[in-house]
Amino acid sequence: VGPGRSPGGALGVTAIRKLWRSWKVPRSIKPPYEILLQDVLDGHPVPAPDTLRGALALCSLRRQVAVSVHDASPLIAPLQLRMGAKGETLEDEGGRPRDTAGVPVLCDRDGPFAGPLGAANRVLVGPGVHRALVVLYLPPGTDGGETLAYLEEASRVAREFCGGQEAGRLVV
């Protein structure tokens, strides 16, 4: 990491910033990986509100990718990844509506539930969650072998720290 203990020079940050800026994410919203890295550089422990999110935060740091995790139980098929439409919003964890136009969003039958702007309250991971959707935001140009390595690492870390089993994968 570069001088002044800033994540700017860290491996992976430049590619993730480029990915984030290719979408219409407001500049005030930093990629989760960069926020996590800065917190660790500032001496804060890896956040672990629960075992799964803590394990995936370690995976994010090891692999230099942005990772998010969501409660899969309330999701209603079909799931899709698409660009947010004009006038469409996603209510973030704080209950604030975020404009999703031009930003990738994960959607189910009830509409957007997550993306780089945050996640809806209905999919937040908390005590008692038994099914999770794990999303890795990989930079453009990530080849198939690297993608597989990222997925293997996330799956291995989740199984090692949390038990359970992987139900499936989808690369978009």
Side-chain angles (χ1 to χ4, degrees):
V1 176
R5 298 178 56 89
S6 164
L11 184 63
V13 170
T14 302
I16 291 172
R17 280 181 182 169
K18 185 176 179 181
L19 173 64
W20 234 243
R21 298 302 166 227
S22 72
W23 304 324
K24 294 179 181 174
V25 177
R27 288 218 176 264
S28 61
I29 299 175
K30 291 184 178 179
Y33 167 68
E34 186 174 343
I35 295 168
L36 175 63
L37 181 58
Q38 185 64 62
D39 286 348
V40 171
L41 290 173
D42 289 345
H44 302 289
V46 173
D50 55 65
T51 307
L52 180 58
R53 286 187 286 175
L56 290 170
L58 286 173
C59 180
S60 179
L61 288 170
R62 286 180 187 159
R63 288 289 182 166
Q64 294 93 37
V65 297
V67 177
S68 64
V69 61
H70 313 287
D71 181 358
S73 299
L75 299 175
I76 302 168
L79 300 184
Q80 86 179 136
L81 171 66
R82 64 172 173 76
M83 296 305 264
K86 184 176 180 177
E88 186 174 52
T89 61
L90 167 72
E91 188 173 298
D92 70 12
E93 294 93 337
R96 297 173 301 270
R98 301 272 190 170
D99 180 14
T100 64
V103 177
V105 289
L106 293 165
C107 304
D108 72 350
R109 186 190 71 189
D110 293 336
F113 64 84
L117 300 175
N121 282 327
R122 68 186 173 107
V123 296
L124 295 180
V125 173
V129 168
H130 297 287
R131 292 179 47 226
L133 171 66
V134 176
V135 180
L136 283 71
Y137 293 94
L138 303 177
T142 304
D143 71 34
E146 286 179 296
T147 299
L148 183 58
Y150 289 131
L151 293 170
E152 289 296 329
E153 174 81 2
S155 180
R156 184 189 63 73
V157 166
R159 284 191 320 270
E160 179 181 332
F161 289 99
C162 307
Q165 62 185 10
E166 182 178 333
R169 293 181 183 177
L170 177 63
V171 177
V172 186

